[in-house]
């Protein structure tokens, strides 16, 4: 380690205990073996840096903020420079930097879906009743808008939900606070239907019981994988033509093969569960409703690429999923499906659950690596790619939750048979997140090739049969379409040809009464708030873009504003480091091109 | 990286491990490490066989230094000594670096020899990334030695008592001189005491502040018949002088060269003119030579002097002024203009058969510091530098450093508690030679029984009133690093 | 006995840059090739003595087959690469990136070359709106000691100071990037004052700052007085006197007074970095 200078502030006894417990297995960065013999060094420090994010969570939960004394103590035992740790702590929305005024901090989502259903009123009501409230970007609960996350000191975080859209009130939230129950929020209208694959167990099995999971074919796929061997697993996945469901649609088999062929060790399997794309809640639905499926799928992936360490990076706003996944990991360990000699074989594999802390950018794969490693969640320049230089600079396969869970049915069915679902290169089924003005919002599973119209009709169509004004397809990083696109088949090929993207499966419907300029400005605000700030085009570009949109909503744009938006779009796409900057203008520009910024009311 | 230091310094915090040995037990540690390397079979047999001499004797000599004995003497746990020995011996390449903590002891030369033994045992010398590295404290300490500013050497470390070498110099200098050795600094003060040295010309040194047992040094300077001081500042020594020659500042007001720790000769250049009547040092010396009757001295330019050096010192032969300008520095030896300079020394030890003489092991004995600890003087005082300051502060004291630590005596929290002293309190600090008042700073990381302070603020704290007057008989260097002191609480400032 | 590791000899590659076939050694970045070929390439966050962080994006070039532009400072050239450094796309991005900075940051005290690039790309940020209507980083300078001034309304967040304070030079880690997005800024922990932070006043952060956000107090004061005159300053290279390392100092002298000390970035002893004594210990020359 270096000769670090620490502050003089002391942690509280609770903060010290929390940090010491975190370090109980690995020990501090510096050990005093004797008054005259101290061992530290950069290697010891390096091993501990990855505990920074968990340590910050501990401090936040213990004291309700990242106190100078607590951070100072964490820095001392982890060997981290205080300025760097402060830089990491201030990167995340869920960490507070001022002594908390109240025990509970209520994050109310005022993002695109929730603002259609009274988010702003709810914020005012909660403030009026004396709560500490913070408007939040999408909380991934869009099917029951508006949604709320209650971050609490010294207690578990809670999510507050209501029965249906537009019905959550300050009164409900008081009830949640009193009852202190974690309310899972799976809305799967197709629950129990024939032909479901990814959703087959959601809402059907007890998500907290490994026995229940085993009764529904749980761990059959892993057993099969262990029998056929890693190469054959990758072969099946390649044959299935499974592609990434996180948005980029990269062929999973190709990715796994590339990592398996690396000479470098160790290798890592990372599951990207930082589902933060506005309008997206499908991964949460799986993790809350069928957590063992994800753990099994990660284990199979780890086996096939030759990894012994799996890392599950879950967004910090999903306390229910966190609890269920923790349970699933513990139960799987107990039953010999994680840890050493899995299912009696030579294969060793275990999973670390990492919780994010409120940063959309950490869904970008290299930012996610930095976040786990204890650095600011800033994306890295690519190349080099994760397959060669991923987590800790080592070969890494990183996959989204939905992608991984597909592997179970690929192994059960066989790659060939899996590939027969869907169309062409768009094989298998896809999860769609229906929200906004549809009758039955929720997560739906459909084979690729279904039309947009059918997707919306399965969700009961538009509320009160109103006219569709626009559909946000693929999330904030996707684009708006109008009813002209209703017959577009939902495949990778057809959407690409139409210049749109399935993205994370978002289908958010707006009717003619909705204030689209406000929605588009909120999307621009989202990117402004979520830019990591590293590269100039995105850091300043997203600000200037939001300023233009604000001028549009005030009906006072400059004459040159449309041109400026186009220039910003080109340069953010061309010169930004990562996908956030590349896609930050997509929805905005599509809205302009469809004339959605003209006020109708 | 391993740091071995009585104090856990900044470098020690960077290190993979820190060993906090007792002050003045470096030879004990080196001998113990050597024995452990020998006993675990980690010696480099090929190297010892072909490039060294005296191994068998050395092996016997260090045999008593078991881990337990070494641990007892140095205060370091046995397993740490063993770890260090194994780590050093098995590293692909390893260096031992040191500064004045090794040399400012009455056993300074032996300390260095003890470290050399370790390099010879393991063959960590004469190859890239290996070696023994004394880090110099000034920009041109190395250059001073290179130029013959030693009592027994001519430029290029050539022996003054070698008639052939002297003849070459006499020819070039058109003057005759004897092969008699001069005096080192310690011997000069002895000669002053005996009145055999009665006139001294001090150039760029402030002995009235910087000498150990400074009270004695000042008395000696006082009794000189003539004291001439050539300096850029009116130092305490200059204030005592009969004549002061104001000089240009070497690194910013003069042309010339400086040689760094890594034997790299680089150009220094004048950026600003010297103030007032200050003259270039070459000019002062030339003028003095003329006044003393020299007719051959002339008015040499820096480049002419350099070229003369190149013609007389083979190791500088290839370093033309033009090359120094173009290449940004060359490391000696550089015998001819086609030679790129030398990244490391002693490569010859790896030639088979070895060219030149074998490197000898040295059987050196641990001898504790002269200034013994006892019931009256129970605390070991060691001195050193801090980051933002330099020597007696005449140069570094002029800027307003936000991190200046000041003149405090650092002692362990335990000692402070025992003496009923709090951080910031002023105490009386005495050694067998003097007594001064100092502010105390407690340091939880300092060993019990150890005190530390800097020597950067002589006007505030005359620390060298306390330091030991013991010297190394071979080098003449004073034992600044180990004085025995007592610390007394002042009950009432009225009694001070 | 262990052999001294020697890297494999690096092979030659060939790329086409602005229509010209050029040879380079494997591992060379596109920027290295541009510099060798005399193609003037703007850079803000790149420096030869720092690890490229590729955040400023003014050095982007077009590489055939790449969906987006690529940062030349960090992208190693590959055999057969076809590179354009002055296409419409490249010029458009460079210009707008400079405009985005210019609209949010005070670029007045940037280095001469930065000003020349801004002129070259005809930077005009007026269409973003006037500075009092749009988001900027305007704030008063931080003056907390007698050596440094941190004037963060001139900060473009190039990360150079953080790198120089950390693993690229000083290993002090007194400053880091804090906050996120447009609120990201360079800060000590909890924004404590610099003398209370880990800062050791080596001045290496100031040495690498391209926009005058970090300056020596002497320079800041002279600029405020209107006496700073870079044109009349002479720079002399000499060797620092404070220890045996042999750091080269560049003494910037105006009216026979030292006004600033830097170190050559291309010198193997310092790579441009100094310590507090070399950087500030010159007051005795003129006292």
């Amino acid at each position: 380690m270096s000769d670090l200078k620490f502050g003089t502030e002391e942690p509280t006894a609770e903060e010290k205990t929390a940090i010491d417990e975190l370090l109980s297995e690995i020990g501090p960065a510096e050990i005093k073996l004797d008054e005259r013999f101290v061992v530290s060094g950069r290697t010891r420090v390096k091993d501990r840096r990855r505990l920074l994010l968990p340590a910050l969570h501990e401090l936040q939960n213990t004291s309700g903020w990242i106190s100078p004394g607590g951070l100072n103590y964490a820095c001392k035992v982890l060997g981290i420079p205080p300025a760097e740790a402060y830089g990491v702590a201030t990167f995340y929305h869920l960490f507070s930097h001022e002594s908390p005024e109240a025990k509970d901090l209520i994050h109310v989502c005022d993002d695109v879906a929730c603002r259609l259903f009274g988010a702003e009123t709810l914020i005012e009501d909660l403030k009026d009743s004396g709560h500490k409230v913070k408007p939040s970007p999408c909380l991934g609960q869009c099917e029951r808008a508006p949604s709320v996350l209650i971050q609490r000191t010294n207690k578990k975080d809670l999510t507050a939900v209501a029965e249906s859209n537009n019905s959550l009130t300050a009164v409900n939230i008081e009830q949640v606070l009193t009852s202190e129950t974690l309310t899972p929020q799976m809305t799967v209208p197709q629950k129990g239907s024939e032909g479901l694959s990814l959703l087959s167990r959601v809402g059907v099995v007890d998500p907290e019981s490994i026995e229940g999971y085993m009764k529904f074919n749980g761990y059959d796929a892993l057993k099969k994988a262990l029998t056929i061997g890693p190469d054959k697993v990758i072969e099946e996945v390649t044959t299935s033509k499974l592609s990434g469901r996180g948005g980029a649609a990269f062929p999973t088999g190709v990715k796994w093969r590339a990592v398996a062929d690396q000479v470098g060790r160790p290798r890592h399997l990372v599951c990207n569960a930082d589902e933060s794309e506005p309008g997206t809640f499908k991964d949460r639905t799986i993790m809350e409703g069928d957590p063992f499926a994800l753990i099994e799928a990660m284990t199979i992936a780890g086996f096939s690429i030759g990894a012994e360490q799996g890392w599950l990076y879950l967004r910090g706003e999903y306390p229910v999923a966190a609890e269920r996944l923790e349970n699933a990991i513990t139960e799987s360990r107990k039953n010999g499906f994680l840890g050493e000699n899995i299912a009696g074989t030579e294969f060793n594999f275990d999973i670390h659950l990492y919780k994010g802390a409120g940063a959309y950018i950490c869904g970008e794969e290299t930012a996610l690596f930095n976040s786990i490693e204890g650095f600011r969640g800033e994306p890295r320049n690519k190349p080099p790619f994760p397959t060669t230089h991923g987590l800790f600079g080592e070969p890494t396969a990183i996959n989204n939750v939905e992608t991984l869970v597909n592997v179970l049915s690929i192994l059960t069915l066989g790659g060939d048979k899996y590939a027969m679902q869907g169309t062409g290169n768009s094989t298998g089924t896809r999860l769609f997140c229906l929200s906004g003005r549809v009758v039955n919002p929720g997560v739906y599973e459909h084979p690729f090739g279904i039309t947009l119209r059918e997707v919306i009709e399965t969700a009961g169509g538009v509320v009160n049969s109103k006219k569709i004004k626009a559909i946000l397809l693929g999330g904030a990083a996707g684009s708006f379409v109008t009813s002209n696109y209703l017959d577009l088949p939902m495949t990778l090929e057809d959407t690409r040809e139409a210049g749109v993207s399935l993205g994370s499966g978002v289908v958010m419907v707006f009717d003619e009464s909705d204030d689209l300029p406000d929605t588009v400005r909120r999307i621009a605000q989202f990117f402004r708030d979520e830019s990591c700030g590293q590269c100039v085009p995105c850091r300043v570009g997203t600000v200037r873009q939001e300023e233009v949109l604000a001028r549009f909503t005030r009906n006072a744009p400059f004459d040159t504003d449309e041109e400026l938006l186009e220039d910003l779009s080109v340069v953010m796409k061309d010169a930004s480091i990562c996908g956030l900057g590349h896609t930050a203008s997509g929805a905005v520009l599509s809205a302009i091109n469809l004339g959605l910024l003209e006020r109708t009311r | 990286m391993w740091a071995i230091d009585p104090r856990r310094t900044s470098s020690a915090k960077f290190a993979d491990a820190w060993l906090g040995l007792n002050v003045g037990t470096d030879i004990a540690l080196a001998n113990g490490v050597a024995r452990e390397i020998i006993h675990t079979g980690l010696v480099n047999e090929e190297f010892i066989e072909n490039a060294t001499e005296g191994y068998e004797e050395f092996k016997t000599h260090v045999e008593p230094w078991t881990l337990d004995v070494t641990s007892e003497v140095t205060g370091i746990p046995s397993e740490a000594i063993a770890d260090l020995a194994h780590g050093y011996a098995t590293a692909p390449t390893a260096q031992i670096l040191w500064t004045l903590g090794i040399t400012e002891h009455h056993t300074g030369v032996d300390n260095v020899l003890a470290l050399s033994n370790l390099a010879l045992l393991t063959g960590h010398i004469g190859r890239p990334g290996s070696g023994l590295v004394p880090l110099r404290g000034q920009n041109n300490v190395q250059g001073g030695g290179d130029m013959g500013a030693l009592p027994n050497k001519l430029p290029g470390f050539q022996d003054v008592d070698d008639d052939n070498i002297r003849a070459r110099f006499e020819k070039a200098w058109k003057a005759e001189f004897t092969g008699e050795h001069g005096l080192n600094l310690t011997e000069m003060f002895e000669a002053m005491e005996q009145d055999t040295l009665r006139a001294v010309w001090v150039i760029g040194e402030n002995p009235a502040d910087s000498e150990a047992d400074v009270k004695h040094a000042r008395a000696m300077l006082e009794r000189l018949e003539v004291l001439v001081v050539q300096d850029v500042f009116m130092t305490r020594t200059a204030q005592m002088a009969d004549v002061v020659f104001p000089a240009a500042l070497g690194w910013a007001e003069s042309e010339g060269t400086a040689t760094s720790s890594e034997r790299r000769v680089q150009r220094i250049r004048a950026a600003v003119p010297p103030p007032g009547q200050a003259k270039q040092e070459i000019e002062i010396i030339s003028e003095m030579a003329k006044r003393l009757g020299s007719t051959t001295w002339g008015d040499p330019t820096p480049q002419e002097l350099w070229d003369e050096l190149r013609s007389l010192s083979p190791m500088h032969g290839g370093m033309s002024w033009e090359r120094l300008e173009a290449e940004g520095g060359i490391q000696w030896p550089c015998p001819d203009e086609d030679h790129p300079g030398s990244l490391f020394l002693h490569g010859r030890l790896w030639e088979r058969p070895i060219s030149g003489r074998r490197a000898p092991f040295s059987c050196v004995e641990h001898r504790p510091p002269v200034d013994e600890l006892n019931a009256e003087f129970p605390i070991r005082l060691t001195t050193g530098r801090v980051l933002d300051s330099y020597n007696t502060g005449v140069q570094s004291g002029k800027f307003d450093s936000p991190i200046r630590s000041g003149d405090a005596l650092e002692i362990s929290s335990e000692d402070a508690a025992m003496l009923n002293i709090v951080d910031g309190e002023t105490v009386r600090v005495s050694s067998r030679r003097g007594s001064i008042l100092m502010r105390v700073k407690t340091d939880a990381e300092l060993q019990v029984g150890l005190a530390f302070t800097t020597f950067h603020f002589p006007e505030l704290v005359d620390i060298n009133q306390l330091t030991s007057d013991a010297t190394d008989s071979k080098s003449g260097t004073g034992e600044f690093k180990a004085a025995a002191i007592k610390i007394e609480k002042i009950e009432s400032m009225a009694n001070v | 006995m262990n052999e001294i590791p020697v890297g494999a000899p690096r092979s030659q590659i060939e790329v086409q840059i602005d229509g010209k076939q050029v040879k380079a050694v494997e591992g060379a970045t596109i920027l290295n090739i541009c510099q060798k070929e005399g193609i003037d390439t703007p850079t803000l966050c790149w420096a030869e003595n720092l690890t490229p962080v590729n955040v400023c994006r003014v050095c982007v070039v077009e590489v055939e087959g790449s969906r987006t532009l690529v940062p030349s400072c960090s992208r190693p050239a590959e055999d057969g690469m076809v590179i354009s450094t002055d296409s419409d796309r490249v010029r458009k991005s460079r210009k707008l990136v400079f405009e985005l900075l210019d609209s949010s940051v005070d670029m007045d005290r940037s280095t001469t070359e930065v000003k020349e690039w801004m002129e070259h790309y005809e930077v005009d940020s007026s269409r973003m709106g006037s500075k009092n209507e749009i988001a900027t980083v305007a704030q008063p300078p931080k003056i907390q000691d007698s050596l440094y001034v941190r004037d963060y309304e001139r900060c473009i967040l190039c990360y150079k100071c953080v790198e120089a304070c950390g693993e690229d030079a000083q290993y002090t880690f007194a400053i880091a990037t804090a906050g996120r997005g447009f609120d990201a800024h360079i800060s000590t922990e909890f924004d404590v004052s610099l003398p209370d932070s880990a800062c050791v006043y080596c001045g290496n952060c100031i040495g690498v700052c391209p926009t005058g956000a970090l300056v020596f107090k002497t320079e800041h004061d002279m600029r405020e007085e209107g006496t700073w005159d870079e044109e009349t300053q002479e720079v002399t290279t000499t060797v620092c006197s404070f220890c045996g390392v042999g750091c080269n100092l560049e003494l910037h002298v105006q009216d026979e007074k030292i006004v600033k000390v830097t170190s050559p970035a291309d010198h193997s002893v310092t790579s441009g970095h100094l310590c507090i004594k070399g950087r500030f210990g010159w007051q005795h020359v003129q006292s």
Side-chain angles (χ1 to χ4, degrees), chain A residues 71-102:
Chain A
L71 189 68
N72 200 36
Y73 184 69
C75 287
K76 271 187 195 171
V77 294
L78 295 173
I80 298 173
E84 280 194 6
Y86 179 73
V88 173
T90 51
F91 190 82
Y92 298 98
H93 284 324
L94 293 185
F95 296 139
S96 310
H97 304 286
E98 277 163 21
S99 186
E101 296 157 31

Side-chain angles (χ1 to χ4, degrees), chain A residues 136-190:
Chain A
S136 169
C138 181
L139 288 169
Q141 319 254 8
C142 321
E143 75 274 41
R144 292 286 182 272
S147 68
V148 159
L149 169 75
I150 307 164
Q151 206 182 357
R152 300 188 308 164
T153 306
N154 247 318
K155 288 176 183 167
K156 277 189 294 195
D157 293 345
L158 300 172
T159 47
V161 293
E163 288 304 304
S164 62
N165 271 341
N166 219 353
S167 65
L168 189 70
T169 64
V171 178
N172 300 135
I173 288 165
E174 301 292 351
Q175 285 165 355
V176 170
L177 279 170
T178 325
S179 67
E180 302 205 347
T181 42
L182 273 173
T183 359
Q185 173 56 8
M186 298 167 290
T187 314
V188 183
Q190 293 166 308

Side-chain angles (χ1 to χ4, degrees), chain A residues 90 93 376 378 547 574-575, chain C residues 57 89 92 135 159 179-180:
Chain A
T90 51
H93 284 324
R376 290 164 59 79
E378 293 172 351
E547 286 168 351
D574 253 356
Chain C
R57 317 304 280 188
R89 255 178 100 188
K92 185 179 184 109
Y159 290 58
R180 193 168 85 195

Side-chain angles (χ1 to χ4, degrees), chain B residues 177-331:
Chain B
F177 54 100
T178 72
E180 204 180 316
H181 291 189
L183 303 177
N184 67 33
L185 188 56
T186 309
E187 291 163 347
M188 284 187 214
F189 278 96
E190 284 164 12
M192 290 181 218
E193 189 155 24
Q194 290 153 14
D195 291 334
T196 52
L197 179 60
R198 300 194 306 279
V200 169
W201 181 2
V202 177
I203 302 179
E205 176 99 16
N206 184 14
D209 274 333
S210 65
E211 280 302 284
D213 192 3
V214 75
K215 272 202 316 202
H216 176 256
R218 284 173 202 157
M220 293 303 103
L221 293 169
E222 290 288 358
R223 62 191 282 152
L224 287 169
E225 285 172 25
V226 180
L227 174 62
V228 179
V229 172
Q230 177 175 328
D231 208 310
V232 295
F233 300 105
M234 273 307 279
T235 61
R236 191 194 282 258
T237 314
Q239 285 166 25
M240 295 167 72
D242 300 291
V243 180
V244 176
F245 293 152
L249 188 61
W251 66 278
E253 295 168 357
S254 303
E255 298 290 326
T257 65
T259 308
S260 69
S261 289
E262 52 169 358
R263 297 167 282 100
R264 184 196 292 256
V265 179
Q266 301 188 100
R267 284 276 283 109
I268 57 170
R269 297 178 184 86
V272 288
Q277 296 179 354
K279 285 190 163 46
Q280 295 296 334
E281 306 213 64
I282 293 176
E283 197 184 340
I284 296 172
I285 295 168
S286 301
E287 288 301 317
M288 273 293 278
K290 286 180 206 163
R291 301 293 198 283
L292 291 167
S294 168
T295 51
T296 54
W297 201 283
D299 296 299
T301 65
Q303 189 175 350
E304 283 163 3
L305 277 182
W306 182 255
D307 285 336
E308 179 193 280
L309 171 82
R310 288 174 60 211
S311 71
L312 291 169
S313 166
M315 71 188 200
H316 292 102
M319 299 183 186
S320 68
W321 201 252
E322 292 72 26
R323 276 188 73 188
L324 290 177
E325 292 281 355
E327 295 173 32
I330 301 172
Q331 287 169 279

